[in-house]
Amino acid sequence: MKLFNSLLFVVLLFSTSAAFAQEEETVNPIDTLTQFSQKLDSRISKLENLKITGYLQFQYQKADSMGINSMAGGNFSKFSDSRFMTRRGRIKFAYSQGLAEYVLQFDATESGFAIKDAYLALKDPYLNAFSFTGGVFNRPFGFEIAYSSSKRESPERARIIQTLFPKERDLGGMVSFQMPKTSPWNFLRLDAGLFSGNGTN
């Protein structure tokens, strides 16, 4: 009986290993490579929706006396009439998928690390002309506030803009209307927003 059981065990062992060998032989390495390539393509396509940009602006200021008040970059130290500074050190993450766009922008200088933009923008799926933006972003007033500091000829905005809209950004919501670029009415843009009114402070 023990001999029969041993022979039965050996037969089962060989048949199981033969079955596993047949299964391994049926797996096509090209199919495995194709599946891996498809997974990799899907992950890369998601990363294509993420855009990372940034820029640095350095500045030198010379004052006529020590410790003066300054609109751009804060007041001078009482022992200094000149200084070098990193005026802006921006890094921006923008992720867009379908009708939604998520934006997060940071400012890193010698003064500290701060969030400049944190908002969500949604577009309408029908006319592709209306959009809603909510969060912390540039207030929709005039042309100069929304114009990027990386593209302006001077590093600072006009004094009236700095006075009326310090730090340019505020917490709130905005509805915008602008026809697609293919439309002859694309030049017209209307923005209406409601904001907290105290800037990012």
mmCIF file of all heavy atoms in Angstrom, residues 65-102:
data_model
loop_
_atom_site.group_PDB
_atom_site.id
_atom_site.type_symbol
_atom_site.label_atom_id
_atom_site.label_comp_id
_atom_site.label_asym_id
_atom_site.label_seq_id
_atom_site.Cartn_x
_atom_site.Cartn_y
_atom_site.Cartn_z
ATOM 1 N N SER A 65 18.787 107.044 0.124
ATOM 2 C CA SER A 65 19.169 107.087 1.537
ATOM 3 C C SER A 65 18.838 105.744 2.183
ATOM 4 O O SER A 65 18.085 104.948 1.633
ATOM 5 C CB SER A 65 18.440 108.227 2.269
ATOM 6 O OG SER A 65 17.042 108.050 2.163
ATOM 7 N N MET A 66 19.385 105.512 3.360
ATOM 8 C CA MET A 66 19.195 104.231 4.035
ATOM 9 C C MET A 66 17.800 104.128 4.648
ATOM 10 O O MET A 66 17.244 105.108 5.132
ATOM 11 C CB MET A 66 20.252 104.047 5.123
ATOM 12 C CG MET A 66 21.657 103.911 4.603
ATOM 13 S SD MET A 66 22.822 103.559 5.925
ATOM 14 C CE MET A 66 24.348 103.435 5.015
ATOM 15 N N GLY A 67 17.253 102.914 4.627
ATOM 16 C CA GLY A 67 16.007 102.637 5.334
ATOM 17 C C GLY A 67 14.760 103.229 4.725
ATOM 18 O O GLY A 67 13.759 103.408 5.430
ATOM 19 N N ILE A 68 14.774 103.534 3.435
ATOM 20 C CA ILE A 68 13.590 104.154 2.831
ATOM 21 C C ILE A 68 12.499 103.106 2.602
ATOM 22 O O ILE A 68 12.759 101.903 2.561
ATOM 23 C CB ILE A 68 13.931 104.855 1.503
ATOM 24 C CG1 ILE A 68 14.328 103.809 0.433
ATOM 25 C CG2 ILE A 68 15.022 105.882 1.679
ATOM 26 C CD1 ILE A 68 14.357 104.369 -0.964
ATOM 27 N N ASN A 69 11.280 103.593 2.457
ATOM 28 C CA ASN A 69 10.163 102.717 2.109
ATOM 29 C C ASN A 69 10.197 102.428 0.610
ATOM 30 O O ASN A 69 10.544 103.299 -0.179
ATOM 31 C CB ASN A 69 8.828 103.364 2.484
ATOM 32 C CG ASN A 69 8.695 103.554 3.978
ATOM 33 O OD1 ASN A 69 9.338 102.856 4.764
ATOM 34 N ND2 ASN A 69 7.868 104.502 4.380
ATOM 35 N N SER A 70 9.818 101.226 0.240
ATOM 36 C CA SER A 70 9.854 100.827 -1.163
ATOM 37 C C SER A 70 8.618 100.005 -1.496
ATOM 38 O O SER A 70 8.239 99.113 -0.734
ATOM 39 C CB SER A 70 11.122 100.012 -1.454
ATOM 40 O OG SER A 70 11.096 99.492 -2.757
ATOM 41 N N MET A 71 8.013 100.312 -2.632
ATOM 42 C CA MET A 71 6.854 99.544 -3.096
ATOM 43 C C MET A 71 7.284 98.168 -3.586
ATOM 44 O O MET A 71 6.595 97.181 -3.398
ATOM 45 C CB MET A 71 6.159 100.292 -4.240
ATOM 46 C CG MET A 71 5.393 101.517 -3.827
ATOM 47 S SD MET A 71 3.873 101.147 -2.935
ATOM 48 C CE MET A 71 2.913 100.352 -4.205
ATOM 49 N N ALA A 72 8.424 98.115 -4.286
ATOM 50 C CA ALA A 72 8.867 96.875 -4.933
ATOM 51 C C ALA A 72 9.852 96.145 -4.038
ATOM 52 O O ALA A 72 10.974 96.585 -3.833
ATOM 53 C CB ALA A 72 9.518 97.195 -6.271
ATOM 54 N N GLY A 73 9.415 95.030 -3.475
ATOM 55 C CA GLY A 73 10.329 94.211 -2.695
ATOM 56 C C GLY A 73 10.389 94.532 -1.220
ATOM 57 O O GLY A 73 11.222 93.981 -0.504
ATOM 58 N N GLY A 74 9.536 95.422 -0.734
ATOM 59 C CA GLY A 74 9.537 95.745 0.689
ATOM 60 C C GLY A 74 10.505 96.869 1.032
ATOM 61 O O GLY A 74 11.326 97.288 0.222
ATOM 62 N N ASN A 75 10.399 97.369 2.255
ATOM 63 C CA ASN A 75 11.218 98.491 2.699
ATOM 64 C C ASN A 75 12.671 98.076 2.890
ATOM 65 O O ASN A 75 12.979 96.926 3.186
ATOM 66 C CB ASN A 75 10.668 99.065 3.997
ATOM 67 C CG ASN A 75 9.256 99.600 3.823
ATOM 68 O OD1 ASN A 75 8.851 99.971 2.723
ATOM 69 N ND2 ASN A 75 8.496 99.622 4.903
ATOM 70 N N PHE A 76 13.569 99.063 2.753
ATOM 71 C CA PHE A 76 14.992 98.823 2.961
ATOM 72 C C PHE A 76 15.304 98.719 4.452
ATOM 73 O O PHE A 76 14.605 99.296 5.295
ATOM 74 C CB PHE A 76 15.817 99.966 2.365
ATOM 75 C CG PHE A 76 16.040 99.852 0.884
ATOM 76 C CD1 PHE A 76 15.033 100.169 -0.014
ATOM 77 C CD2 PHE A 76 17.256 99.427 0.379
ATOM 78 C CE1 PHE A 76 15.233 100.067 -1.374
ATOM 79 C CE2 PHE A 76 17.475 99.326 -0.975
ATOM 80 C CZ PHE A 76 16.460 99.649 -1.861
ATOM 81 N N SER A 77 16.357 97.980 4.732
ATOM 82 C CA SER A 77 16.861 97.947 6.104
ATOM 83 C C SER A 77 17.372 99.334 6.490
ATOM 84 O O SER A 77 17.843 100.091 5.635
ATOM 85 C CB SER A 77 17.995 96.915 6.203
ATOM 86 O OG SER A 77 18.769 97.134 7.351
ATOM 87 N N LYS A 78 17.307 99.660 7.779
ATOM 88 C CA LYS A 78 17.732 101.005 8.211
ATOM 89 C C LYS A 78 19.241 101.201 8.080
ATOM 90 O O LYS A 78 19.731 102.323 8.202
ATOM 91 C CB LYS A 78 17.275 101.273 9.639
ATOM 92 C CG LYS A 78 17.881 100.343 10.675
ATOM 93 C CD LYS A 78 17.368 100.710 12.064
ATOM 94 C CE LYS A 78 17.945 99.800 13.141
ATOM 95 N NZ LYS A 78 17.466 100.182 14.487
ATOM 96 N N PHE A 79 19.980 100.127 7.814
ATOM 97 C CA PHE A 79 21.426 100.219 7.639
ATOM 98 C C PHE A 79 21.865 100.024 6.194
ATOM 99 O O PHE A 79 23.040 99.839 5.914
ATOM 100 C CB PHE A 79 22.144 99.167 8.506
ATOM 101 C CG PHE A 79 21.818 99.271 9.961
ATOM 102 C CD1 PHE A 79 21.055 98.305 10.574
ATOM 103 C CD2 PHE A 79 22.255 100.348 10.716
ATOM 104 C CE1 PHE A 79 20.737 98.390 11.907
ATOM 105 C CE2 PHE A 79 21.944 100.450 12.055
ATOM 106 C CZ PHE A 79 21.182 99.478 12.661
ATOM 107 N N SER A 80 20.914 100.080 5.257
ATOM 108 C CA SER A 80 21.257 99.771 3.866
ATOM 109 C C SER A 80 20.551 100.716 2.907
ATOM 110 O O SER A 80 19.415 101.112 3.124
ATOM 111 C CB SER A 80 20.861 98.324 3.553
ATOM 112 O OG SER A 80 21.050 98.032 2.202
ATOM 113 N N ASP A 81 21.259 101.065 1.818
ATOM 114 C CA ASP A 81 20.644 101.842 0.747
ATOM 115 C C ASP A 81 20.752 101.138 -0.606
ATOM 116 O O ASP A 81 20.426 101.709 -1.636
ATOM 117 C CB ASP A 81 21.278 103.235 0.663
ATOM 118 C CG ASP A 81 22.760 103.173 0.310
ATOM 119 O OD1 ASP A 81 23.319 102.055 0.288
ATOM 120 O OD2 ASP A 81 23.356 104.238 0.067
ATOM 121 N N SER A 82 21.228 99.895 -0.612
ATOM 122 C CA SER A 82 21.280 99.114 -1.847
ATOM 123 C C SER A 82 21.147 97.636 -1.497
ATOM 124 O O SER A 82 21.476 97.216 -0.384
ATOM 125 C CB SER A 82 22.596 99.360 -2.607
ATOM 126 O OG SER A 82 23.690 98.903 -1.839
ATOM 127 N N ARG A 83 20.675 96.856 -2.463
ATOM 128 C CA ARG A 83 20.488 95.432 -2.201
ATOM 129 C C ARG A 83 20.298 94.648 -3.496
ATOM 130 O O ARG A 83 19.798 95.169 -4.493
ATOM 131 C CB ARG A 83 19.271 95.209 -1.305
ATOM 132 C CG ARG A 83 17.956 95.655 -1.909
ATOM 133 C CD ARG A 83 16.804 95.539 -0.936
ATOM 134 N NE ARG A 83 15.571 96.081 -1.495
ATOM 135 C CZ ARG A 83 14.449 96.239 -0.800
ATOM 136 N NH1 ARG A 83 14.411 95.912 0.484
ATOM 137 N NH2 ARG A 83 13.372 96.727 -1.369
ATOM 138 N N PHE A 84 20.740 93.388 -3.430
ATOM 139 C CA PHE A 84 20.406 92.397 -4.440
ATOM 140 C C PHE A 84 19.275 91.540 -3.879
ATOM 141 O O PHE A 84 19.245 91.255 -2.683
ATOM 142 C CB PHE A 84 21.603 91.495 -4.764
ATOM 143 C CG PHE A 84 22.642 92.148 -5.624
ATOM 144 C CD1 PHE A 84 23.784 92.699 -5.072
ATOM 145 C CD2 PHE A 84 22.467 92.204 -7.002
ATOM 146 C CE1 PHE A 84 24.738 93.296 -5.857
ATOM 147 C CE2 PHE A 84 23.421 92.804 -7.804
ATOM 148 C CZ PHE A 84 24.561 93.349 -7.233
ATOM 149 N N MET A 85 18.400 91.080 -4.745
ATOM 150 C CA MET A 85 17.317 90.237 -4.277
ATOM 151 C C MET A 85 16.785 89.353 -5.405
ATOM 152 O O MET A 85 16.950 89.667 -6.583
ATOM 153 C CB MET A 85 16.181 91.078 -3.693
ATOM 154 C CG MET A 85 15.593 92.088 -4.643
ATOM 155 S SD MET A 85 14.446 93.233 -3.852
ATOM 156 C CE MET A 85 13.225 92.118 -3.207
ATOM 157 N N THR A 86 16.200 88.243 -5.024
ATOM 158 C CA THR A 86 15.455 87.415 -5.967
ATOM 159 C C THR A 86 14.032 87.948 -5.950
ATOM 160 O O THR A 86 13.286 87.726 -5.000
ATOM 161 C CB THR A 86 15.471 85.934 -5.552
ATOM 162 O OG1 THR A 86 16.820 85.501 -5.438
ATOM 163 C CG2 THR A 86 14.757 85.077 -6.578
ATOM 164 N N ARG A 87 13.679 88.680 -6.993
ATOM 165 C CA ARG A 87 12.362 89.310 -7.008
ATOM 166 C C ARG A 87 11.257 88.271 -7.170
ATOM 167 O O ARG A 87 10.239 88.317 -6.512
ATOM 168 C CB ARG A 87 12.304 90.336 -8.150
ATOM 169 C CG ARG A 87 11.022 91.140 -8.172
ATOM 170 C CD ARG A 87 10.899 92.017 -6.947
ATOM 171 N NE ARG A 87 9.634 92.738 -6.929
ATOM 172 C CZ ARG A 87 8.546 92.314 -6.312
ATOM 173 N NH1 ARG A 87 8.558 91.160 -5.674
ATOM 174 N NH2 ARG A 87 7.447 93.024 -6.323
ATOM 175 N N ARG A 88 11.483 87.311 -8.066
ATOM 176 C CA ARG A 88 10.514 86.244 -8.271
ATOM 177 C C ARG A 88 11.248 84.942 -8.579
ATOM 178 O O ARG A 88 12.173 84.930 -9.384
ATOM 179 C CB ARG A 88 9.564 86.567 -9.437
ATOM 180 C CG ARG A 88 8.660 87.753 -9.182
ATOM 181 C CD ARG A 88 7.824 88.093 -10.408
ATOM 182 N NE ARG A 88 6.988 89.255 -10.161
ATOM 183 C CZ ARG A 88 7.379 90.511 -10.372
ATOM 184 N NH1 ARG A 88 8.594 90.759 -10.845
ATOM 185 N NH2 ARG A 88 6.563 91.520 -10.121
ATOM 186 N N GLY A 89 10.828 83.894 -7.925
ATOM 187 C CA GLY A 89 11.332 82.551 -8.210
ATOM 188 C C GLY A 89 10.137 81.627 -8.315
ATOM 189 O O GLY A 89 9.702 81.059 -7.316
ATOM 190 N N ARG A 90 9.605 81.501 -9.507
ATOM 191 C CA ARG A 90 8.319 80.827 -9.687
ATOM 192 C C ARG A 90 8.487 79.423 -10.262
ATOM 193 O O ARG A 90 9.336 79.198 -11.125
ATOM 194 C CB ARG A 90 7.422 81.630 -10.633
ATOM 195 C CG ARG A 90 7.156 83.063 -10.189
ATOM 196 C CD ARG A 90 6.189 83.124 -9.026
ATOM 197 N NE ARG A 90 6.097 84.433 -8.454
ATOM 198 C CZ ARG A 90 5.329 85.422 -8.916
ATOM 199 N NH1 ARG A 90 4.598 85.216 -9.985
ATOM 200 N NH2 ARG A 90 5.298 86.578 -8.314
ATOM 201 N N ILE A 91 7.653 78.523 -9.791
ATOM 202 C CA ILE A 91 7.496 77.210 -10.398
ATOM 203 C C ILE A 91 6.001 76.905 -10.433
ATOM 204 O O ILE A 91 5.299 77.085 -9.433
ATOM 205 C CB ILE A 91 8.287 76.110 -9.674
ATOM 206 C CG1 ILE A 91 8.119 74.768 -10.400
ATOM 207 C CG2 ILE A 91 7.901 75.996 -8.213
ATOM 208 C CD1 ILE A 91 9.113 73.725 -9.994
ATOM 209 N N LYS A 92 5.537 76.493 -11.616
ATOM 210 C CA LYS A 92 4.098 76.349 -11.843
ATOM 211 C C LYS A 92 3.785 74.950 -12.365
ATOM 212 O O LYS A 92 4.448 74.453 -13.275
ATOM 213 C CB LYS A 92 3.639 77.398 -12.861
ATOM 214 C CG LYS A 92 2.151 77.384 -13.163
ATOM 215 C CD LYS A 92 1.814 78.496 -14.148
ATOM 216 C CE LYS A 92 0.340 78.535 -14.494
ATOM 217 N NZ LYS A 92 0.027 79.600 -15.467
ATOM 218 N N PHE A 93 2.755 74.342 -11.770
ATOM 219 C CA PHE A 93 2.261 73.034 -12.192
ATOM 220 C C PHE A 93 0.840 73.225 -12.728
ATOM 221 O O PHE A 93 -0.030 73.700 -11.998
ATOM 222 C CB PHE A 93 2.242 72.048 -11.025
ATOM 223 C CG PHE A 93 3.587 71.834 -10.393
ATOM 224 C CD1 PHE A 93 4.022 72.660 -9.361
ATOM 225 C CD2 PHE A 93 4.418 70.813 -10.829
ATOM 226 C CE1 PHE A 93 5.258 72.470 -8.778
ATOM 227 C CE2 PHE A 93 5.652 70.610 -10.243
ATOM 228 C CZ PHE A 93 6.076 71.441 -9.221
ATOM 229 N N ALA A 94 0.628 72.851 -13.977
ATOM 230 C CA ALA A 94 -0.695 72.965 -14.592
ATOM 231 C C ALA A 94 -1.073 71.607 -15.181
ATOM 232 O O ALA A 94 -0.343 71.069 -16.020
ATOM 233 C CB ALA A 94 -0.698 74.033 -15.679
ATOM 234 N N TYR A 95 -2.186 71.070 -14.727
ATOM 235 C CA TYR A 95 -2.658 69.771 -15.219
ATOM 236 C C TYR A 95 -4.021 69.971 -15.856
ATOM 237 O O TYR A 95 -4.951 70.454 -15.216
ATOM 238 C CB TYR A 95 -2.760 68.767 -14.074
ATOM 239 C CG TYR A 95 -3.154 67.379 -14.521
ATOM 240 C CD1 TYR A 95 -2.210 66.503 -15.025
ATOM 241 C CD2 TYR A 95 -4.480 66.960 -14.459
ATOM 242 C CE1 TYR A 95 -2.567 65.229 -15.445
ATOM 243 C CE2 TYR A 95 -4.847 65.689 -14.884
ATOM 244 C CZ TYR A 95 -3.883 64.828 -15.374
ATOM 245 O OH TYR A 95 -4.235 63.575 -15.795
ATOM 246 N N SER A 96 -4.128 69.625 -17.127
ATOM 247 C CA SER A 96 -5.393 69.792 -17.842
ATOM 248 C C SER A 96 -5.839 68.449 -18.395
ATOM 249 O O SER A 96 -5.030 67.692 -18.948
ATOM 250 C CB SER A 96 -5.248 70.799 -18.980
ATOM 251 O OG SER A 96 -4.251 70.370 -19.888
ATOM 252 N N GLN A 97 -7.115 68.174 -18.237
ATOM 253 C CA GLN A 97 -7.699 66.949 -18.770
ATOM 254 C C GLN A 97 -9.156 67.212 -19.099
ATOM 255 O O GLN A 97 -9.937 67.580 -18.221
ATOM 256 C CB GLN A 97 -7.571 65.796 -17.779
ATOM 257 C CG GLN A 97 -8.022 64.467 -18.347
ATOM 258 C CD GLN A 97 -7.696 63.307 -17.430
ATOM 259 O OE1 GLN A 97 -7.452 63.502 -16.253
ATOM 260 N NE2 GLN A 97 -7.699 62.099 -17.975
ATOM 261 N N GLY A 98 -9.483 67.061 -20.359
ATOM 262 C CA GLY A 98 -10.857 67.312 -20.778
ATOM 263 C C GLY A 98 -11.242 68.770 -20.601
ATOM 264 O O GLY A 98 -10.589 69.673 -21.124
ATOM 265 N N LEU A 99 -12.265 69.019 -19.819
ATOM 266 C CA LEU A 99 -12.780 70.374 -19.622
ATOM 267 C C LEU A 99 -12.232 71.042 -18.363
ATOM 268 O O LEU A 99 -12.612 72.165 -18.059
ATOM 269 C CB LEU A 99 -14.311 70.323 -19.538
ATOM 270 C CG LEU A 99 -15.020 69.741 -20.757
ATOM 271 C CD1 LEU A 99 -16.506 69.592 -20.491
ATOM 272 C CD2 LEU A 99 -14.775 70.597 -21.992
ATOM 273 N N ALA A 100 -11.347 70.376 -17.643
ATOM 274 C CA ALA A 100 -10.848 70.907 -16.373
ATOM 275 C C ALA A 100 -9.353 71.193 -16.438
ATOM 276 O O ALA A 100 -8.602 70.513 -17.138
ATOM 277 C CB ALA A 100 -11.132 69.924 -15.241
ATOM 278 N N GLU A 101 -8.941 72.227 -15.703
ATOM 279 C CA GLU A 101 -7.523 72.561 -15.561
ATOM 280 C C GLU A 101 -7.250 72.898 -14.098
ATOM 281 O O GLU A 101 -7.976 73.681 -13.484
ATOM 282 C CB GLU A 101 -7.140 73.744 -16.452
ATOM 283 C CG GLU A 101 -5.666 74.086 -16.357
ATOM 284 C CD GLU A 101 -5.278 75.296 -17.188
ATOM 285 O OE1 GLU A 101 -6.175 76.098 -17.526
ATOM 286 O OE2 GLU A 101 -4.086 75.450 -17.472
ATOM 287 N N TYR A 102 -6.201 72.291 -13.554
ATOM 288 C CA TYR A 102 -5.785 72.530 -12.175
ATOM 289 C C TYR A 102 -4.432 73.230 -12.210
ATOM 290 O O TYR A 102 -3.520 72.779 -12.915
ATOM 291 C CB TYR A 102 -5.654 71.211 -11.408
ATOM 292 C CG TYR A 102 -6.857 70.314 -11.504
ATOM 293 C CD1 TYR A 102 -6.990 69.399 -12.541
ATOM 294 C CD2 TYR A 102 -7.873 70.383 -10.560
ATOM 295 C CE1 TYR A 102 -8.102 68.576 -12.641
ATOM 296 C CE2 TYR A 102 -8.987 69.557 -10.650
ATOM 297 C CZ TYR A 102 -9.091 68.655 -11.690
ATOM 298 O OH TYR A 102 -10.185 67.843 -11.784
#
